Amino acid sequence: MWELLAARTVTWASVQYISKLNLAKQASLIPLRQLVSFSAALLIAFFTSFWLFGGLPTHFPLLVMVLGMVNGLASYMSFRATTISQSAMVFSYLIDDIVAITLSMIFLREYQMVGWPTLAGALICILATILFAYNNKQKHQDKANAPTKISTLFYLLSFGALGIWGAVHFMMRHVGFEQGVTWEEFVLPWYGGTFITALIIFLLVARKQRLNREEIQEVFAMRNIFWTLLIAVPTFLNIVFTFWTFASTPMVIAKPIFSLFQVITVILLGAFVFGERRQQNFNMTDWCAFGLSAIGVITLTLDT
């Protein structure tokens, strides 16, 4: 389990690192960039399928394709929300956890699979995530010397995306744990679904919002094509490790650790990779959150 969690964290961090190097700030370019990115991931899924099966897999679960289509919508909403406020988006990650864990507890009865140390460790990890995210958000407000006013659109996009992702992650656990779908059977219909949604969103947005030639040339410039192909590899691996983890690990363990590691990764990448150490200015609250993180992870290991 811990090997999968570590692998998933590394691939997720790689996606964040590459995205930070070449992040599209223009909301108008998001549909086209997503279409190109998901197309590259779908190609990788095709090559993986032919390499593993010598062709298309014999078992092609349509439910996974539907989940991929829903994921494509959530990804677009998340990218739009991130262009409005990246720091506030980090704080919203917990919605995903709450939805996924609640659904798993109710419908998969995961409360029967874990003991009190796991529940206590999960709660401590969630508290550490809240502390990290809230403190990080306060620092961004302090640098602006005034509270950042966030639009209603941000809340609709972020809460909607993360609520959808929570339900999708629960269903990933369902198809992997309950239905026995393997990751080899999962990736092709998943990325087929995300590609379909990305194409639909692009066509709908393109009708209302015409891109000029310069914007299109920017997306398809060799430098940007390189970054798109590069980010498709860790994105593909991230989904593989995420599904693999959900299929083998109760959601009450996987989700709190995922979110905790995501927030820590964002903070550490900003401080030590992108030269934001002075702006980050680690304080007592950060160190308390790190301490809670260690206690939470150690408590989780007592029951696993």
Side-chain angles (χ1 to χ4, degrees), residues 10-32:
V10 170
T11 53
W12 189 88
S14 301
V15 172
Q16 299 307 303
Y17 176 72
I18 298 171
S19 298
K20 181 82 172 180
L21 291 175
N22 192 44
L23 181 65
K25 293 293 184 182
Q26 307 97 317
S28 61
L29 294 180
I30 290 175
L32 181 55

Side-chain angles (χ1 to χ4, degrees), residues 100-260:
I101 292 173
T102 302
L103 291 174
S104 296
M105 287 288 193
I106 295 172
F107 295 104
L108 300 182
R109 299 182 180 179
E110 288 195 348
Y111 57 85
Q112 297 177 350
M113 305 178 191
V114 296
W116 286 109
T118 296
L119 295 175
L123 180 60
I124 294 171
C125 286
I126 290 172
L127 290 174
T129 305
I130 293 173
L131 200 57
F132 270 126
Y134 178 76
N135 195 42
N136 192 49
K137 186 171 181 289
Q138 290 299 111
K139 288 176 187 177
H140 281 79
Q141 289 183 354
D142 291 342
K143 284 192 291 183
N145 296 320
T148 304
K149 205 169 184 181
I150 300 176
S151 65
T152 304
L153 178 62
F154 168 80
Y155 291 110
L156 291 174
L157 290 171
S158 62
F159 287 15
L162 291 160
I164 291 171
W165 267 333
V168 168
H169 289 165
F170 158 72
M171 289 303 299
M172 289 170 73
R173 167 76 173 158
H174 171 70
V175 299
F177 179 70
E178 295 278 319
Q179 297 186 359
V181 175
T182 64
W183 73 265
E184 296 94 337
E185 298 167 330
F186 179 86
V187 289
L188 187 57
W190 172 269
Y191 278 113
T194 55
F195 170 78
I196 290 171
T197 300
L199 179 60
I200 292 172
I201 290 174
F202 171 71
L203 293 175
L204 290 175
V205 173
R207 289 183 60 185
K208 294 183 178 180
Q209 196 173 346
R210 291 187 178 180
L211 298 176
N212 59 47
R213 182 177 296 180
E214 288 76 16
E215 290 175 323
I216 296 175
Q217 287 176 344
E218 179 189 347
V219 173
F220 287 100
M222 286 302 298
R223 177 179 63 86
N224 289 326
I225 290 294
F226 167 78
W227 287 116
T228 299
L229 293 175
L230 186 62
I231 201 173
V233 176
T235 299
F236 174 82
L237 292 174
N238 180 56
I239 287 297
V240 170
F241 289 127
T242 298
F243 175 74
W244 202 347
T245 303
F246 288 161
S248 59
T249 309
M251 200 65 74
V252 70
I253 298 175
K255 288 300 293 178
I257 294 180
F258 275 3
S259 290
L260 178 61

Side-chain angles (χ1 to χ4, degrees), residues 11-83:
T11 53
W12 189 88
S14 301
V15 172
Q16 299 307 303
Y17 176 72
I18 298 171
S19 298
K20 181 82 172 180
L21 291 175
N22 192 44
L23 181 65
K25 293 293 184 182
Q26 307 97 317
S28 61
L29 294 180
I30 290 175
L32 181 55
R33 285 184 184 270
Q34 275 202 302
L35 180 60
V36 175
S37 178
F38 286 142
S39 298
L42 181 59
L43 283 175
I44 294 175
F46 264 113
F47 285 129
T48 303
S49 178
F50 273 85
W51 176 56
L52 291 172
F53 301 109
L56 296 177
T58 53
H59 183 210
F60 193 86
L62 291 178
L63 175 59
V64 175
M65 176 173 278
V66 173
L67 293 178
M69 294 176 69
V70 176
N71 173 72
L73 175 61
S75 296
Y76 172 72
M77 295 168 67
S78 173
F79 273 114
R80 283 290 310 275
T82 302
T83 61

